[in-house]
Amino acid sequence: MRFDDVAGYDLIKQRLKSLADTHRLPHAMMISSSDGAGALSIALALAQYANCTDHHDGEPCGKCSACIKYELLAHPDLFFLFPIVGGDKKSCDDYLKEWRENAQQPYLTRVDWLNAIKAGNSQAMIYSKENVVLEERMSYKIAEGKYRVLIIWQPEKMHEALSNKLLKLIEEPPKDTLIILVSIEPELLLPTIKSRVQEIELPLLTEEEVVNALIKLEGDHCDIEKIREAAHLSCGQMRKALDELNNKGEREEHWIYFVRMLSFINPPKPLVMRRLAEEFADLGREYQVSLLKSFASYFRELYMYPLGISQITYLNQREKELAIQLSGCINGANIMQISNEIDVAIRHIMQHVNSKMVFFDLFLRFTNLMARQFRQKQINISLFS
């Protein structure tokens, strides 16, 4: 993995390389970012750079023995912990094949990983049985590299008992050990762990940084207007920009679900609500939460766009057309209530409340909040689906 595989963050990358060059890397650090920002790739690049025997031009050489093994994520001094399902019978070792196939995607997301391991509706976590990695493997003699490296992806998903083991390891690390946490929800970590690691936060990219990165990826004959629209809609997140540019990913799926959900508001269609709630209930919980967050974002945009503030609205052309048609339906009288209902639904999903009931109740509440405005404007959402 190369630092250049991830767009932006030049100052952060330079700082990490300087620490490695001067042998001043902290034994425990945390790289935090939004989901799919490339933090895992930066952690892998740093580990490879620190162990490369001939790095130059700010990148690992890619040719030495250490680099070749790091490219395969199979170096004997490199260890991983990451969320899995079925932890009563399985461990991270059982998912190494899937991990090696997916972890080097520059902008891997949580949902990408859950799909790769076919998690379904199961809640992925890092189980307490992984303490064998912390207690035994981290005490092994270094086989080949300069450093023994442990990368924990999504440490916020660790079982509490394992978190306490990690805290002990951080407080008393073996010599020449690098512990790199890669988090998308650092606020969920034990405060005692957060206080003992050096945190490096990856900020959202500027729109211009996303544009430049997309131009570099797409080449000289790219569609600059399409790139600028994708960069604007990305809200500073490279993975979202790539998905938008390539017309794939969750955004398209979420938009279709959103339009289908609106279609039963005028006139109210309880049977359709029930069927859609059942369909949503079959989705994985992480995906359900992601979908609800997208719904909240869409409602915000439908409220903001008619106000004419284009700089802080993020809709593509098709979405803008719907926003114009629904102008006034999402307004100051109901937008906060809609947002609050979505927040409650997300909390219930995370608490493992029956998701079919959660979604059906949410649809009823949406109908109650918006049906009158839809009737007044004679909106039939099926015209736009």
Side-chain angles (χ1 to χ4, degrees):
M1 181 63 69
R2 293 167 54 85
F3 287 104
D4 199 40
D5 290 334
V6 180
Y9 315 120
D10 292 340
L11 291 178
I12 291 174
K13 294 174 184 175
Q14 189 56 49
R15 175 188 172 196
L16 291 173
K17 287 182 277 192
S18 176
L19 290 172
D21 290 339
T22 55
H23 307 288
R24 292 186 295 114
L25 283 169
H27 73 275
M29 68 178 73
M30 176 170 65
I31 304 176
S32 61
S33 71
S34 60
D35 194 15
L40 175 61
S41 295
I42 289 178
L44 290 169
L46 174 63
Q48 183 171 337
Y49 184 85
N51 279 291
C52 175
T53 58
D54 188 30
H55 56 245
H56 49 79
D57 299 325
E59 295 286 3
C61 72
K63 298 179 180 179
C64 68
S65 174
C67 279
I68 291 171
K69 292 172 183 176
Y70 261 89
E71 295 289 350
L72 299 173
L73 301 186
H75 194 283
D77 299 313
L78 176 63
F79 304 93
F80 295 102
L81 292 177
F82 42 81
I84 63 169
V85 294
D88 54 335
K89 298 178 181 178
K90 295 184 177 182
S91 69
C92 290
D93 286 350
D94 295 304
Y95 289 94
L96 274 179
K97 179 177 181 292
E98 292 83 355
W99 179 252
R100 288 167 176 160
E101 290 173 351
N102 289 272
Q104 296 217 54
Q105 295 181 37
Y107 306 104
L108 181 72
T109 67
R110 177 178 286 176
V111 171
D112 289 338
W113 175 242
L114 294 178
N115 289 337
I117 62 174
K118 299 178 174 59
N121 217 20
S122 301
Q123 189 82 1
M125 65 182 298
I126 306 175
Y127 294 87
S128 57
K129 69 189 303 181
E130 303 293 349
N131 61 25
V132 66
V133 174
L134 303 183
E135 291 187 335
E136 295 182 20
R137 297 183 187 178
M138 295 307 289
S139 64
Y140 290 171
K141 181 179 179 181
I142 294 179
E144 298 178 13
K146 303 173 188 176
Y147 296 97
R148 174 193 302 106
V149 179
L150 170 64
I151 295 178
I152 306 179
W153 189 53
Q154 299 183 44
E156 58 271 19
K157 293 293 185 179
M158 286 190 298
H159 188 279
E160 184 176 355
L162 189 64
S163 294
N164 290 324
K165 295 282 187 182
L166 174 63
L167 178 61
K168 182 177 180 182
L169 179 67
I170 290 173
E171 291 177 334
E172 302 175 10
K175 184 181 178 183
D176 297 324
T177 296
L178 297 180
I179 302 168
I180 309 176
L181 312 184
V182 181
S183 176
I184 58 177
E185 294 178 302
E187 68 278 3
L188 300 182
L189 278 171
L190 289 179
T192 45
I193 290 179
K194 287 190 66 177
S195 67
R196 287 165 173 78
V197 298
Q198 181 172 320
E199 183 173 1
I200 299 170
E201 182 179 359
L202 303 184
L204 295 174
L205 299 173
T206 66
E207 194 167 311
E208 200 58 33
E209 284 178 320
V210 176
V211 167
N212 292 336
L214 291 177
I215 291 174
K216 182 178 179 180
L217 286 173
E218 294 295 306
D220 296 334
H221 303 292
C222 59
D223 185 335
I224 190 65
E225 290 304 317
K226 189 176 180 181
I227 280 178
R228 289 198 175 279
E229 181 184 45
H232 180 65
L233 294 173
S234 74
C235 302
Q237 300 177 70
M238 192 64 187
R239 171 58 184 269
K240 287 187 177 181
L242 289 168
D243 285 347
E244 182 65 30
L245 191 64
N246 298 315
N247 294 316
K248 64 179 182 179
E250 288 186 359
R251 183 184 178 92
E252 177 69 16
E253 294 176 0
H254 290 183
W255 172 253
I256 293 172
Y257 281 136
F258 183 71
V259 173
R260 289 178 61 194
M261 184 265 302
L262 291 180
S263 69
F264 55 61
I265 289 179
N266 182 39
K269 305 178 182 71
L271 290 178
V272 178
M273 297 182 202
R274 179 179 175 181
R275 287 196 295 269
L276 191 60
E278 291 172 349
E279 185 177 339
F280 282 12
D282 290 334
L283 304 171
R285 291 188 184 276
E286 294 286 353
Y287 189 92
Q288 291 169 357
V289 170
S290 176
L291 181 62
L292 287 170
K293 288 180 178 178
S294 289
F295 282 7
S297 175
Y298 280 131
F299 277 121
R300 171 193 175 277
E301 301 305 326
L302 292 178
Y303 170 62
M304 294 292 293
Y305 185 75
L307 301 179
I309 313 174
S310 61
Q311 297 89 341
I312 57 173
T313 53
Y314 303 92
L315 298 173
N316 61 30
Q317 186 57 42
R318 176 186 56 180
E319 295 160 358
K320 289 175 182 177
E321 291 172 3
L322 181 58
I324 292 170
Q325 297 293 332
L326 295 184
S327 177
C329 292
I330 315 300
N331 53 44
N334 60 18
I335 184 62
M336 290 304 299
Q337 292 172 284
I338 291 170
S339 297
N340 290 338
E341 295 296 350
I342 294 175
D343 288 342
V344 171
I346 290 174
R347 185 165 68 249
H348 286 165
I349 292 294
M350 297 304 293
Q351 292 170 346
H352 295 270
V353 177
N354 185 301
S355 54
K356 181 167 63 176
M357 294 175 58
V358 171
F359 281 110
F360 185 61
D361 180 68
L362 181 65
F363 299 158
L364 290 173
R365 292 173 185 273
F366 282 165
T367 302
N368 182 56
L369 289 168
M370 292 180 282
R372 181 173 60 85
Q373 290 86 348
F374 273 54
R375 284 196 301 270
Q376 288 176 346
K377 293 182 68 68
Q378 299 181 337
I379 297 295
N380 183 344
I381 205 69
S382 62
L383 295 176
F384 313 109
S385 58

